[in-house]
Amino acid sequence: MCLAVPMKVTSIQGDRARASLGDVEREIGIAMLPDVQVGDYVIVHAGFAIQHLDEQEALETLALFRGMAEVDDQDGRPS
Amino acid sequence: MRFLDEFRAPDAAQGMIERIHRLAARCGDVTFMEVCGTHTMSVYRHGIRRLLPPNVRMLSGPGCPVCVTPNTFLDRAVALARLRHFIVATFGDMMRVPGSSSSLREEKAWGCDVRVVYSTLEALAIARENPTRQVVFLGVGFETTAPTIGAAILEARATHVRNFSVLSAAKLIPPAMAALVAHPALRIHGFLCPGHVSVVMGTEPYEFLARDHGVPCVVAGFEALDILQGIVMLLQQVVERRAEVEIAYRRVVSPRGNPAARRILGDVFEASDSTWRGLGVLPRSGLCIKPELRDHDAGRFEVDVEPTREQAGCDCGDVLRGIKTPFDCKLFGKVCTPDDPVGACMVSSEGTCAAAWRYGRDLE
Amino acid sequence: MGGTLNRRAPAILLDHGSGGRASRRLVEETILPHLRNTLLDRLDDAAVLSLDAARLAFTTDSYVVDPIFFPGGDIGMLAVHGTINDLAMSGARPVALSAGFILEEGLPLADLDRIVASMARAAANAGVPIVTGDTKVVARGAADKIFINTAGIGLVPPGVDISGHHGRPGDAVILSGPIAEHGVAILSKRAGLSFASSCKSDTAPLAALVADMLDACPAIHSLRDPTRGGLAATLNELASQSRVRIEIDEAVIPISDAAASACEMLGIDPLHLANEGVLVALVPCEHAAGVVNAMHANPLGRHARVIGKVLDGDPLVVMRTMVGGKRIVALPSGQPLPRIC
C-alpha cells in the first residue's frame, strides 16, 4: 500500500521541491517534511516526501546484509 | 548511491537465504503475515516465496487499500463520475476495480471524465485548470497516503480552490491487525509490519501485538534484501522465544514516526467506524474528513447510488484474513481472472490474487 | 451522461488496444471468427504470400499515439519504422510502403507538414519508398489530431522461414537492446504524470539489423519486435504460438537507469512497456553466439545479448529474478497504469 522511492532533493520552492531518482526528475510536495533541505535524500510516495532517508543507516544496513553472506556461527549470527 | 539496486544484491541475498534456512531448522512450522500489499507485490516480484524453507509460510494480509474498500465506495465514485460537470481523479490502482455493476475504466469508456493521477497534487492542479467543474479525488489509502490527501485538502482551502473535494475511504492499519489477531482461526507467528505506514506512525501502534498477544513484529522495507532481513529477524525472535517490535527498515523508520505528517492527519481527519471488505465494520478504523472542512468533502454530494451487490462465491474476505490462499478460492483462475475480476483482490495491482496470478500461478 | 444505472452493452475499452490479454481476446473472440483463413490465423507480424517464385510479405499497422510529438520522434516516424519492422520480423527485405492519413479538422498544417517531412526522412534513411497513400479529413472530435495507417510489402529471401510458430526447445532467446525507452518517453509526456526524463523513444528501422542476423544464420526461427504490451506480451505470444516454455534471466535484461528509475517511481513493470527499436529472436542455440556477434557490429544491436532459452513444456514465460527466485511473466492485462499502493 505504500509504493515509495528514494529521491534526492535538487531545489525547493515554497511547499514544493524538485527531486530526482537517477535521471528522472519531478516536482514533489514537502508538506510532510517542512525541514527538508536541498541535497537531502527523501522517500517519495504519491508525489510527496514522507521522510528523510538516513544515509548512515542505509550504509550500516548494507554492511549488515553483506555480513550475513559470510560464514557464521551456529546461532545464525555473524561471527 | 541509488538506495535501490544495492538492496537487491544477489550475493547478499544468497547469504540471507542460507541464514533463513538455518534458523528455520530450529523451529517448527511458522506462518508470518506480510500485512502490506506492497510487501506482497515485492515478495512475488522477486520470487522470494520459492526461496524460503518449506516450514516458513508467508500469508498476505489486508494491507491493500483497494482490496478492502467495499463496493459501496466504488458505486458512489461511479455515480459521481456520471454527473456531467464532475471530474473524478484517482490513483491508477482504482481504475479496474469492479463495483456492483461497473468500474471507473468502463465509465471512462462511456464518456465520463475519469483521470488517473500519480499524486493528489495533480488532482488539485486539474481543479485549478477546470474552475467550472467539480473535481473529486478518490481518497483511498492507509496512513502513508492519508497525509498526502490531507495536505491537498489543506492547500485547497488555503488557496481557495473551492471545486476540489475528496471522497474519503482512507483506513488505519492497526485496527485491522487487532481484528486479525483476535480471530480464533488465525495462527500467526509473526508480522512483517508495513514499512511506510510506520514511517508516519512510528512503532508504538504495534506494541500491543507483542506485549498483549506475544506476536513478534518486524518493521521491514520493500526491497528484496529488506524483506529477507525482516524474515531473518522474525525467525530470530521465534527461535529465541522473544516477542518484540523491532525495526529492520532503519534508514527511514524511527520509533517516533513523522510528527508533521500526523499533524496533517489530525488537522484534516477524524477516526470513524469503517467497513472493510472481508473484515466487516471495524471501530475507529477509517478516516473521515472533519466537519469544518466539509467544503472539501465529496461525501456531501447528494447522488443516486445503486444498491450494493457483492459477488456471490467471492472469497476475498477469507483471503484478506489470511484464512484462505487464492488457490483455495473456487473462483480463482476459472471465473475470476485479471481479465474478468470478481473481487478486488484480483483486480488491484497488488491484490493477493492478482499477484498470485501474475507471479505465482503455475509455480505453486 | 447520467441516466441508466444498468450495465450497458459490452463496448471497446482502452485496454483492448494495449497489446495485452484484452487485445488478444478482442482479436480471438470478435475479429478472427469472421475472417479466418490459414494466413491470418497465424497472427504473425506480416503475412507471407507465395506468388510464382517469390515470397511476398504483406503487413499493415495503424498509429494513434498521443502525444504526436514526443522525445525522440513523432507519429510519422513511428508509422514508417513500425511497418518496416513488421516486414523485417518475417525476414523480408522491405520494398515499399503506403500511407493513409485520417486528419482531424483543426489540426495545424504546420504539424502535418512536420510529420510528413519526418516520414519522408525516415523512409529515405531506411531506403523504403512510400509509393501510394490516401488522406481523409473528419470533423473536430471525430479523431484525435492525426491517425496514420501504413501498409508495407517486402520480399522474403529463399531459405528464410521465420514465424512465431517456429520456436523450438533449445533455442536461445536474444534481445537486441535496452527495453522500455519508448514507453517511458511517452509516459513522461502524459498529462497527470509529469516527470522529466532523459528517455527518448528508440524508434528505428530494424530491417538492416535483421539482414545482418540472417547473414550469420539464415535458419533463425522467430523474430518479433516488442511494441505495445512490451517484452512480456511478445514472449508470451511466442511461447503460445510455438507451444514452448521460455525462461529468461532478469539480471541480464538491458535497461537504462533512466527507464528503470521511471518504472520504479510509477510502479510499472518495464517488461510491460512498449519498445520501437528493439527485437527478440529465437535462434538455434548453436548459432546464438554468431548472431549476437553480427548484431554487435550494427549500431542498433550493440547491446544485444542472450537473455534466456526456450524449453520443452506448456506455454509459459518464467523469469529468474535478481535474487535468485523465480516468477511468472504474465501477459499484461491492459494498459500499464501507475500505482501508488
Side-chain angles (χ1 to χ4, degrees), chain C residues 311-335:
Chain C
L311 300 164
D312 216 350
D314 287 338
L316 195 66
V317 181
V318 175
M319 183 163 79
R320 182 175 194 273
T321 69
M322 275 195 289
V323 291
K326 265 195 181 172
R327 63 141 162 133
I328 290 183
V329 177
L331 198 53
S333 51
Q335 276 189 303

Side-chain angles (χ1 to χ4, degrees), chain C residues 172-229:
Chain C
V173 181
I174 296 175
L175 179 66
S176 67
I179 61 170
E181 292 293 310
H182 177 82
V184 169
I186 298 291
L187 274 177
S188 71
K189 291 296 165 219
R190 213 160 87 182
L193 291 184
S194 47
F195 61 93
S197 163
S198 63
C199 284
K200 296 199 220 308
S201 173
D202 58 345
T203 176
L206 297 168
L209 178 65
V210 169
D212 290 348
M213 292 165 72
L214 286 170
D215 279 344
C217 171
I220 290 178
H221 289 159
S222 308
L223 288 171
R224 188 146 302 171
D225 57 338
T227 53
R228 47 169 205 169

Side-chain angles (χ1 to χ4, degrees), chain B residues 214-335:
Chain B
V215 183
C217 295
V218 173
V219 179
F222 297 91
E223 294 310 318
L225 296 185
D226 292 318
I227 293 173
L228 292 172
Q229 184 199 9
I231 296 172
V232 166
M233 289 170 70
L234 281 173
L235 282 168
Q236 269 167 346
Q237 288 202 39
V238 168
V239 162
E240 292 163 22
R241 302 199 201 295
R242 285 184 290 123
E244 293 165 23
V245 178
E246 295 183 302
I247 301 174
Y249 196 19
R250 285 172 33 203
R251 59 193 187 277
V252 286
V253 176
S254 68
R256 66 194 272 273
N258 180 334
R262 287 202 299 278
R263 252 193 313 280
I264 294 173
L265 288 182
D267 287 345
V268 175
F269 297 104
E270 51 194 25
S272 64
D273 294 353
S274 182
T275 305
W276 294 57
R277 187 193 293 270
L279 297 175
V281 177
L282 301 183
R284 300 183 59 74
S285 65
L287 292 175
C288 65
I289 297 170
K290 284 180 147 163
E292 55 263 40
L293 288 163
R294 190 173 185 272
D295 287 347
H296 297 287
D297 185 351
R300 76 179 194 278
F301 296 121
E302 305 244 335
V303 65
D304 277 329
V305 183
E306 61 185 306
T308 304
R309 271 188 308 125
E310 300 281 345
Q311 300 281 0
C314 170
D315 267 336
C316 271
D318 280 348
V319 171
L320 287 165
R321 297 192 118 93
I323 294 173
K324 285 195 172 141
T325 72
F327 307 97
D328 295 329
C329 173
K330 291 186 176 45
L331 305 183
F332 177 80
K334 307 184 186 78
V335 173

Side-chain angles (χ1 to χ4, degrees), chain C residues 15-334:
Chain C
D15 283 344
H16 287 124
S18 63
R21 270 200 301 278
S23 300
R24 181 152 89 172
R25 281 176 62 176
L26 181 70
V27 169
E28 285 173 1
E29 294 173 13
T30 306
I31 298 176
L32 273 189
H34 293 293
L35 296 177
R36 309 220 85 102
N37 61 68
T38 28
L39 277 174
L40 184 63
D41 288 353
R42 291 177 75 76
L43 292 179
D44 276 327
D45 283 340
V48 177
L49 304 123
S50 295
L51 298 174
D52 295 337
R55 284 184 302 148
L56 188 75
F58 177 34
T59 187
T60 184
D61 222 329
S62 298
Y63 297 86
V64 298
V65 68
D66 181 43
I68 55 180
F69 301 108
F70 44 82
D74 57 71
I75 187 175
M77 194 187 296
L78 217 57
V80 167
H81 292 158
T83 294
I84 286 175
N85 292 346
D86 277 349
L87 292 170
M89 296 306 122
S90 297
R93 179 178 63 80
V95 167
L97 300 175
S98 70
F101 298 98
I102 297 177
L103 306 169
E104 183 190 13
E105 179 189 18
L107 176 74
L109 278 176
D111 285 356
L112 178 63
D113 189 78
R114 193 171 149 195
I115 288 166
V116 179
S118 173
M119 292 175 79
R121 264 194 313 276
N125 287 342
V128 186
I130 298 172
V131 300
T132 182
D134 176 69
T135 308
K136 293 284 184 297
V137 178
V138 295
R140 194 182 292 271
D144 183 14
K145 301 188 274 290
I146 173 172
F147 297 151
I148 305 178
N149 171 277
T150 44
I153 54 171
L155 282 171
V156 181
V160 168
D161 192 9
I162 296 179
S163 163
H165 296 264
H166 292 171
R168 294 290 169 267
D171 283 356
V173 181
I174 296 175
L175 179 66
S176 67
I179 61 170
E181 292 293 310
H182 177 82
V184 169
I186 298 291
L187 274 177
S188 71
K189 291 296 165 219
R190 213 160 87 182
L193 291 184
S194 47
F195 61 93
S197 163
S198 63
C199 284
K200 296 199 220 308
S201 173
D202 58 345
T203 176
L206 297 168
L209 178 65
V210 169
D212 290 348
M213 292 165 72
L214 286 170
D215 279 344
C217 171
I220 290 178
H221 289 159
S222 308
L223 288 171
R224 188 146 302 171
D225 57 338
T227 53
R228 47 169 205 169
L231 192 59
T234 291
L235 291 176
N236 273 282
E237 284 163 19
L238 290 172
S240 167
Q241 285 181 299
S242 294
R243 309 214 56 73
V244 290
R245 178 181 173 110
I246 292 179
E247 290 193 1
I248 58 174
D249 188 351
E250 183 177 32
V252 304
I253 295 176
I255 180 169
S256 69
D257 269 349
S261 299
C263 290
E264 291 289 344
M265 197 180 76
L266 296 173
I268 288 180
D269 189 339
L271 296 182
H272 293 182
L273 290 179
N275 311 275
E276 295 288 339
V278 161
L279 61 78
V280 171
L282 302 183
V283 172
C285 58
E286 61 272 21
H287 296 291
V291 170
V292 170
N293 281 338
M295 294 169 84
H296 286 167
N298 185 304
L300 291 174
R302 60 181 183 280
H303 298 293
R305 62 192 68 171
V306 173
I307 62 163
K309 53 187 185 291
V310 177
L311 300 164
D312 216 350
D314 287 338
L316 195 66
V317 181
V318 175
M319 183 163 79
R320 182 175 194 273
T321 69
M322 275 195 289
V323 291
K326 265 195 181 172
R327 63 141 162 133
I328 290 183
V329 177
L331 198 53
S333 51

Side-chain angles (χ1 to χ4, degrees), chain B residues 30-32 57 59 180 183-190 213 215:
Chain B
V30 286
T31 298
F32 296 143
R57 186 166 83 116
L59 210 53
L180 289 174
H183 196 285
L186 223 44
R187 195 74 194 92
I188 297 175
H189 301 95
H213 298 272
V215 183

Side-chain angles (χ1 to χ4, degrees), chain B residues 2 8 10 45-46 82 92-93 96 101 105-107 109-110 118 122 338-340 349-350 358-359 362, chain C residues 1-2 4-5 7-9 13 15 21 25 192 261 264 321-322 324-325 327-328 335 338-341:
Chain B
R2 264 165 49 94
R8 297 174 190 167
R45 171 190 180 177
H46 294 290
R82 289 175 179 175
D93 312 62
R96 297 198 190 103
S101 68
R105 113 181 128 141
E106 287 169 61
E107 294 303 315
W110 284 100
Y118 163 70
E122 283 158 9
D339 287 342
D340 273 323
S349 62
E350 70 177 41
R358 287 221 303 282
Y359 296 132
D362 285 65
Chain C
M1 225 62 266
T4 174
L5 295 170
R7 205 174 246 288
R8 285 104 145 197
L13 302 169
D15 283 344
R21 270 200 301 278
R25 281 176 62 176
S261 299
E264 291 289 344
T321 69
M322 275 195 289
R327 63 141 162 133
I328 290 183
Q335 276 189 303
R339 57 189 176 100
I340 60 106
C341 298

Side-chain angles (χ1 to χ4, degrees), chain B residues 56-311:
Chain B
V56 176
R57 186 166 83 116
M58 299 299 296
L59 210 53
S60 296
C64 161
V66 168
C67 291
V68 297
T69 299
N71 269 0
T72 46
F73 180 83
L74 243 317
D75 296 342
R76 181 166 287 271
V78 162
L80 288 169
R82 289 175 179 175
L83 298 176
R84 201 180 304 261
H85 62 287
F86 274 66
I87 300 173
V88 168
T90 177
F91 294 130
D93 312 62
M94 294 293 284
M95 282 300 281
R96 297 198 190 103
V97 181
S100 296
S101 68
S102 185
S103 69
L104 290 168
R105 113 181 128 141
E106 287 169 61
E107 294 303 315
K108 183 175 161 72
W110 284 100
C112 297
D113 199 339
V114 178
R115 306 195 197 179
V116 171
V117 295
Y118 163 70
S119 166
T120 55
L121 298 179
E122 283 158 9
L124 197 52
I126 292 172
R128 290 192 175 107
E129 289 154 18
N130 294 272
T132 60
R133 301 178 65 197
Q134 182 69 227
V135 174
V136 172
F137 179 76
L138 302 185
V140 178
F142 291 112
E143 290 95 327
T144 325
T145 316
T148 75
I149 299 171
I153 289 174
L154 292 174
E155 188 175 315
R157 182 176 67 173
T159 56
H160 310 292
V161 183
R162 292 178 222 289
N163 58 326
F164 175 80
S165 58
V166 170
L167 193 66
S168 180
K171 289 178 162 37
L172 302 170
I173 267 290
M177 294 173 83
L180 289 174
V181 153
H183 196 285
L186 223 44
R187 195 74 194 92
I188 297 175
H189 301 95
F191 281 112
L192 206 65
C193 294
H196 293 141
V197 163
S198 309
V199 160
V200 172
M201 304 304 287
T203 52
E204 195 279 326
Y206 312 117
E207 291 291 343
F208 78 98
L209 293 161
R211 183 189 61 230
D212 304 337
H213 298 272
V215 183
C217 295
V218 173
V219 179
F222 297 91
E223 294 310 318
L225 296 185
D226 292 318
I227 293 173
L228 292 172
Q229 184 199 9
I231 296 172
V232 166
M233 289 170 70
L234 281 173
L235 282 168
Q236 269 167 346
Q237 288 202 39
V238 168
V239 162
E240 292 163 22
R241 302 199 201 295
R242 285 184 290 123
E244 293 165 23
V245 178
E246 295 183 302
I247 301 174
Y249 196 19
R250 285 172 33 203
R251 59 193 187 277
V252 286
V253 176
S254 68
R256 66 194 272 273
N258 180 334
R262 287 202 299 278
R263 252 193 313 280
I264 294 173
L265 288 182
D267 287 345
V268 175
F269 297 104
E270 51 194 25
S272 64
D273 294 353
S274 182
T275 305
W276 294 57
R277 187 193 293 270
L279 297 175
V281 177
L282 301 183
R284 300 183 59 74
S285 65
L287 292 175
C288 65
I289 297 170
K290 284 180 147 163
E292 55 263 40
L293 288 163
R294 190 173 185 272
D295 287 347
H296 297 287
D297 185 351
R300 76 179 194 278
F301 296 121
E302 305 244 335
V303 65
D304 277 329
V305 183
E306 61 185 306
T308 304
R309 271 188 308 125
E310 300 281 345
Q311 300 281 0

